Amino acid sequence: MDRSYDAAVIGLGAMGSAAAYHLAARGLRVLGLERFGPAHDRGSSHGGSRIIRQAYFEHPDYVPLLLRAYELWHALERDWGSELMTLTGALMLGRPDSRTVAGSRASAHAWGLPHEMLDAAEIRRRFPTLRPGEDHVGLYEERGGFVRPEAAVAAHLGLAERAGADLRFFEPAADWTALPGGDGVRITTAAGTYTADRLVVCPGAWAPRTLADLAVDFTVERQVQYWFAPRGGTEPFAPQHHPVYVWEDPEGVQIYGFPAYDGPQGGVKTAFFRRGTPCEPETLDRRIHPGEIAVIAEHLSTRVPDLPGRFLRGAACMYTTTADEHFVIATHPEYPQTTVACGFSGHGFKFTPVVGEIAADLAISGTTAHSVDLFAPRPRSAAEPRTEVSR
């Protein structure tokens, strides 16, 4: 016999956990299905930290969503009773015409965001751990920092259950079918069959197969996060001294990093941004290879010279990237009872609570007060490369 719900959510990672919470908080009977356990490390929402910032180099249209996300992060912390976001300041570095700097500056100007422009000498004075070349500048914003992904997913899941959601772990959806006339969906798992009036699909790295009918050009890539014990200890890298940063070199390679947020034993985390290799989620190589460590250590050696000391550990995760690097958040074009949220392209976690809010809006009413035109599904034939900032 079918078990019926007002809404179902497939995938309970970052976005799915937030969607389940926002739906349940509005009084709906919610089913959540997840192939792994709660706040797992098998996808894209692990590694202890994700950068949060407002002067957004990817596109100015993200800024209003970021401002709302900050409000919702604070509300989540209050309702869950635990700190999830730490503001350390954020520094976007590179040449003045680099995407990282010019795009951040364009968003800051478009939305009147408080920020400072620092030359290389001032960066070195204020943040002695960093060694930019004379031709580099930085945009600094005090409101930047990081959020903790595992804790944030756990908070959304906990509040969803508190609001009455039925969350089922280690129970992946084998199939889902839209019922005729837009009258709900039927979901099949190994444990049984469920029906729901509406469905939210948040498949993460499983988007290429789960949502193949969207014909969106998703690329799943293996990405590696690295932790090092700095030469001279972690004190110079403490949050009060060392900001989160994204740093673009003249060849367009971006690296990002964090302060020593877990004390001396935790080390300092860093990684390349968008320098991954194609992968499949079921066969992701989770080993961290000596050659990979050597490459990032060499890249850091002239930029953060005290950081590539002793390698502590690494973790592999996945980016699911669209051709233009923008998200997909929309009502399914063929099935109006279904909402999709995927393709977060390596920069989505900071938006988690507002994506959950948008997904709930779309699932319930088909509309949202947030501007989401940028996130409509773009089939392969219509997708365009990401928008570059003016040089």
Side-chain angles (χ1 to χ4, degrees), residues 222 224-228 270 272 287-301 308-315:
R222 173 183 178 272
V224 180
Q225 306 164 78
Y226 305 86
W227 285 260
F228 290 92
T270 186
F272 285 112
R287 297 169 298 172
I288 311 303
H289 301 278
E292 297 175 312
I293 301 167
V295 169
I296 196 164
E298 181 180 5
H299 200 84
L300 289 166
S301 63
R310 180 168 53 90
F311 174 71
L312 296 176
R313 66 189 184 281

Short mmCIF file of all heavy atoms in Angstrom, two decimals, residues 222 224-228 270 272 287-301 308-315:
data_model
loop_
_atom_site.label_atom_id
_atom_site.label_comp_id
_atom_site.label_asym_id
_atom_site.label_seq_id
_atom_site.Cartn_x
_atom_site.Cartn_y
_atom_site.Cartn_z
N ARG A 222 36.05 15.43 -9.61
CA ARG A 222 36.71 15.15 -8.33
C ARG A 222 37.53 16.37 -7.93
O ARG A 222 38.32 16.89 -8.71
CB ARG A 222 37.61 13.93 -8.47
CG ARG A 222 38.50 13.64 -7.25
CD ARG A 222 39.39 12.44 -7.56
NE ARG A 222 40.31 12.12 -6.46
CZ ARG A 222 41.52 12.66 -6.32
NH1 ARG A 222 41.97 13.54 -7.21
NH2 ARG A 222 42.28 12.31 -5.31
N VAL A 224 39.88 18.03 -4.51
CA VAL A 224 40.60 17.62 -3.30
C VAL A 224 40.79 18.81 -2.37
O VAL A 224 41.18 19.91 -2.80
CB VAL A 224 41.97 17.01 -3.65
CG1 VAL A 224 42.71 16.60 -2.37
CG2 VAL A 224 41.80 15.80 -4.56
N GLN A 225 40.51 18.60 -1.10
CA GLN A 225 40.77 19.57 -0.04
C GLN A 225 42.00 19.10 0.74
O GLN A 225 42.12 17.91 1.03
CB GLN A 225 39.56 19.67 0.89
CG GLN A 225 38.24 19.96 0.16
CD GLN A 225 37.03 19.68 1.02
OE1 GLN A 225 36.67 20.47 1.89
NE2 GLN A 225 36.39 18.54 0.81
N TYR A 226 42.88 20.04 1.09
CA TYR A 226 44.15 19.70 1.74
C TYR A 226 44.27 20.46 3.05
O TYR A 226 43.89 21.63 3.15
CB TYR A 226 45.34 20.10 0.86
CG TYR A 226 45.33 19.54 -0.54
CD1 TYR A 226 44.66 20.20 -1.57
CD2 TYR A 226 46.03 18.38 -0.85
CE1 TYR A 226 44.66 19.70 -2.86
CE2 TYR A 226 46.06 17.88 -2.15
CZ TYR A 226 45.36 18.55 -3.15
OH TYR A 226 45.38 18.06 -4.44
N TRP A 227 44.88 19.78 4.05
CA TRP A 227 45.20 20.42 5.32
C TRP A 227 46.71 20.28 5.58
O TRP A 227 47.26 19.18 5.47
CB TRP A 227 44.44 19.77 6.46
CG TRP A 227 42.99 20.11 6.54
CD1 TRP A 227 42.40 21.03 7.36
CD2 TRP A 227 41.92 19.51 5.79
NE1 TRP A 227 41.05 21.05 7.17
CE2 TRP A 227 40.72 20.13 6.21
CE3 TRP A 227 41.86 18.53 4.80
CZ2 TRP A 227 39.48 19.79 5.68
CZ3 TRP A 227 40.63 18.18 4.27
CH2 TRP A 227 39.46 18.81 4.70
N PHE A 228 47.34 21.41 5.92
CA PHE A 228 48.77 21.44 6.22
C PHE A 228 49.00 21.98 7.62
O PHE A 228 48.23 22.82 8.12
CB PHE A 228 49.52 22.34 5.23
CG PHE A 228 49.61 21.80 3.83
CD1 PHE A 228 48.64 22.12 2.88
CD2 PHE A 228 50.65 20.97 3.46
CE1 PHE A 228 48.73 21.64 1.59
CE2 PHE A 228 50.75 20.48 2.17
CZ PHE A 228 49.79 20.82 1.23
N THR A 270 43.29 24.32 2.49
CA THR A 270 43.40 25.03 1.23
C THR A 270 43.03 24.08 0.10
O THR A 270 42.97 22.86 0.29
CB THR A 270 44.83 25.59 1.03
OG1 THR A 270 44.87 26.40 -0.14
CG2 THR A 270 45.83 24.46 0.89
N PHE A 272 42.54 23.96 -4.64
CA PHE A 272 42.32 24.62 -5.92
C PHE A 272 40.82 24.75 -6.15
O PHE A 272 40.02 23.89 -5.76
CB PHE A 272 42.92 23.81 -7.07
CG PHE A 272 44.42 23.89 -7.16
CD1 PHE A 272 45.19 22.77 -6.90
CD2 PHE A 272 45.04 25.07 -7.53
CE1 PHE A 272 46.58 22.83 -6.99
CE2 PHE A 272 46.42 25.14 -7.62
CZ PHE A 272 47.19 24.02 -7.35
N ARG A 287 41.49 8.45 -2.56
CA ARG A 287 42.88 8.51 -2.14
C ARG A 287 43.47 9.89 -2.48
O ARG A 287 43.09 10.51 -3.48
CB ARG A 287 43.69 7.43 -2.85
CG ARG A 287 43.27 6.00 -2.51
CD ARG A 287 43.94 5.02 -3.45
NE ARG A 287 43.52 5.26 -4.84
CZ ARG A 287 44.05 4.67 -5.89
NH1 ARG A 287 45.05 3.80 -5.73
NH2 ARG A 287 43.60 4.93 -7.11
N ILE A 288 44.38 10.37 -1.67
CA ILE A 288 45.08 11.62 -1.94
C ILE A 288 46.50 11.24 -2.34
O ILE A 288 47.24 10.63 -1.56
CB ILE A 288 45.09 12.54 -0.70
CG1 ILE A 288 43.65 12.67 -0.14
CG2 ILE A 288 45.66 13.90 -1.07
CD1 ILE A 288 42.62 13.18 -1.12
N HIS A 289 46.90 11.61 -3.55
CA HIS A 289 48.13 11.11 -4.13
C HIS A 289 49.30 12.07 -3.89
O HIS A 289 49.10 13.30 -3.88
CB HIS A 289 47.93 10.89 -5.63
CG HIS A 289 46.82 9.92 -5.93
ND1 HIS A 289 46.99 8.56 -5.89
CD2 HIS A 289 45.51 10.13 -6.24
CE1 HIS A 289 45.85 7.97 -6.18
NE2 HIS A 289 44.92 8.90 -6.40
N PRO A 290 50.50 11.55 -3.71
CA PRO A 290 51.66 12.42 -3.45
C PRO A 290 51.86 13.49 -4.51
O PRO A 290 52.23 14.63 -4.18
CB PRO A 290 52.83 11.42 -3.43
CG PRO A 290 52.22 10.13 -3.01
CD PRO A 290 50.86 10.11 -3.62
N GLY A 291 51.62 13.17 -5.77
CA GLY A 291 51.78 14.17 -6.82
C GLY A 291 50.83 15.35 -6.67
O GLY A 291 51.19 16.50 -6.96
N GLU A 292 49.62 15.09 -6.21
CA GLU A 292 48.64 16.16 -5.98
C GLU A 292 49.11 17.08 -4.86
O GLU A 292 49.00 18.32 -4.95
CB GLU A 292 47.29 15.57 -5.63
CG GLU A 292 46.66 14.73 -6.71
CD GLU A 292 45.37 14.08 -6.26
OE1 GLU A 292 45.35 13.48 -5.17
OE2 GLU A 292 44.38 14.18 -6.99
N ILE A 293 49.60 16.47 -3.81
CA ILE A 293 50.09 17.27 -2.68
C ILE A 293 51.26 18.14 -3.11
O ILE A 293 51.34 19.33 -2.75
CB ILE A 293 50.51 16.34 -1.52
CG1 ILE A 293 49.32 15.49 -1.07
CG2 ILE A 293 51.07 17.14 -0.35
CD1 ILE A 293 49.70 14.34 -0.16
N ALA A 294 52.15 17.59 -3.94
CA ALA A 294 53.31 18.36 -4.41
C ALA A 294 52.89 19.55 -5.25
O ALA A 294 53.48 20.63 -5.16
CB ALA A 294 54.24 17.44 -5.19
N VAL A 295 51.87 19.38 -6.08
CA VAL A 295 51.43 20.46 -6.96
C VAL A 295 50.88 21.63 -6.16
O VAL A 295 51.23 22.79 -6.39
CB VAL A 295 50.39 19.95 -7.97
CG1 VAL A 295 49.72 21.12 -8.70
CG2 VAL A 295 51.05 19.03 -9.00
N ILE A 296 50.00 21.34 -5.19
CA ILE A 296 49.43 22.46 -4.44
C ILE A 296 50.48 23.08 -3.51
O ILE A 296 50.50 24.30 -3.30
CB ILE A 296 48.16 22.05 -3.68
CG1 ILE A 296 47.40 23.32 -3.25
CG2 ILE A 296 48.48 21.15 -2.49
CD1 ILE A 296 45.98 23.08 -2.84
N ALA A 297 51.38 22.27 -2.97
CA ALA A 297 52.44 22.82 -2.12
C ALA A 297 53.32 23.78 -2.91
O ALA A 297 53.71 24.85 -2.41
CB ALA A 297 53.28 21.69 -1.53
N GLU A 298 53.64 23.42 -4.15
CA GLU A 298 54.44 24.32 -4.98
C GLU A 298 53.69 25.61 -5.28
O GLU A 298 54.27 26.70 -5.26
CB GLU A 298 54.81 23.62 -6.29
CG GLU A 298 55.67 24.48 -7.21
CD GLU A 298 56.02 23.77 -8.49
OE1 GLU A 298 55.53 22.65 -8.72
OE2 GLU A 298 56.78 24.35 -9.29
N HIS A 299 52.40 25.50 -5.54
CA HIS A 299 51.60 26.69 -5.82
C HIS A 299 51.54 27.62 -4.61
O HIS A 299 51.57 28.84 -4.74
CB HIS A 299 50.18 26.27 -6.23
CG HIS A 299 49.43 27.32 -6.99
ND1 HIS A 299 49.56 27.49 -8.35
CD2 HIS A 299 48.56 28.26 -6.58
CE1 HIS A 299 48.78 28.48 -8.75
NE2 HIS A 299 48.16 28.96 -7.69
N LEU A 300 51.48 27.05 -3.42
CA LEU A 300 51.41 27.84 -2.19
C LEU A 300 52.76 28.46 -1.82
O LEU A 300 52.80 29.48 -1.12
CB LEU A 300 50.94 26.96 -1.03
CG LEU A 300 49.49 26.51 -1.04
CD1 LEU A 300 49.28 25.39 -0.04
CD2 LEU A 300 48.56 27.69 -0.72
N SER A 301 53.84 27.87 -2.25
CA SER A 301 55.16 28.20 -1.72
C SER A 301 55.53 29.67 -1.91
O SER A 301 56.25 30.23 -1.07
CB SER A 301 56.23 27.31 -2.35
OG SER A 301 56.29 27.53 -3.76
N PRO A 308 52.78 25.45 3.23
CA PRO A 308 53.06 24.06 2.82
C PRO A 308 54.18 23.44 3.65
O PRO A 308 55.27 23.13 3.17
CB PRO A 308 53.44 24.19 1.35
CG PRO A 308 54.03 25.56 1.25
CD PRO A 308 53.26 26.41 2.21
N GLY A 309 53.90 23.31 4.95
CA GLY A 309 54.85 22.63 5.83
C GLY A 309 54.60 21.15 5.77
O GLY A 309 54.82 20.50 4.75
N ARG A 310 54.06 20.59 6.83
CA ARG A 310 53.79 19.15 6.87
C ARG A 310 52.35 18.88 6.44
O ARG A 310 51.41 19.46 6.98
CB ARG A 310 54.04 18.62 8.29
CG ARG A 310 53.79 17.13 8.46
CD ARG A 310 54.33 16.66 9.80
NE ARG A 310 53.80 17.46 10.91
CZ ARG A 310 52.68 17.17 11.58
NH1 ARG A 310 51.96 16.10 11.24
NH2 ARG A 310 52.30 17.93 12.59
N PHE A 311 52.19 18.00 5.46
CA PHE A 311 50.86 17.62 5.02
C PHE A 311 50.19 16.76 6.09
O PHE A 311 50.78 15.81 6.61
CB PHE A 311 50.94 16.84 3.71
CG PHE A 311 49.63 16.28 3.25
CD1 PHE A 311 48.64 17.11 2.78
CD2 PHE A 311 49.39 14.91 3.31
CE1 PHE A 311 47.41 16.59 2.36
CE2 PHE A 311 48.17 14.38 2.89
CZ PHE A 311 47.18 15.23 2.41
N LEU A 312 48.96 17.12 6.45
CA LEU A 312 48.24 16.41 7.49
C LEU A 312 47.24 15.40 6.93
O LEU A 312 47.23 14.24 7.32
CB LEU A 312 47.50 17.40 8.40
CG LEU A 312 48.38 18.37 9.21
CD1 LEU A 312 47.51 19.34 9.97
CD2 LEU A 312 49.29 17.59 10.16
N ARG A 313 46.41 15.86 6.01
CA ARG A 313 45.37 14.98 5.48
C ARG A 313 44.73 15.66 4.26
O ARG A 313 44.98 16.83 3.98
CB ARG A 313 44.30 14.68 6.53
CG ARG A 313 43.48 15.88 6.95
CD ARG A 313 42.60 15.57 8.15
NE ARG A 313 41.73 16.68 8.50
CZ ARG A 313 42.12 17.75 9.20
NH1 ARG A 313 43.39 17.85 9.61
NH2 ARG A 313 41.26 18.71 9.49
N GLY A 314 43.92 14.90 3.59
CA GLY A 314 43.16 15.43 2.47
C GLY A 314 41.80 14.76 2.41
O GLY A 314 41.56 13.73 3.07
N ALA A 315 40.90 15.33 1.63
CA ALA A 315 39.57 14.75 1.45
C ALA A 315 39.11 15.06 0.03
O ALA A 315 39.23 16.20 -0.44
CB ALA A 315 38.57 15.31 2.46
#
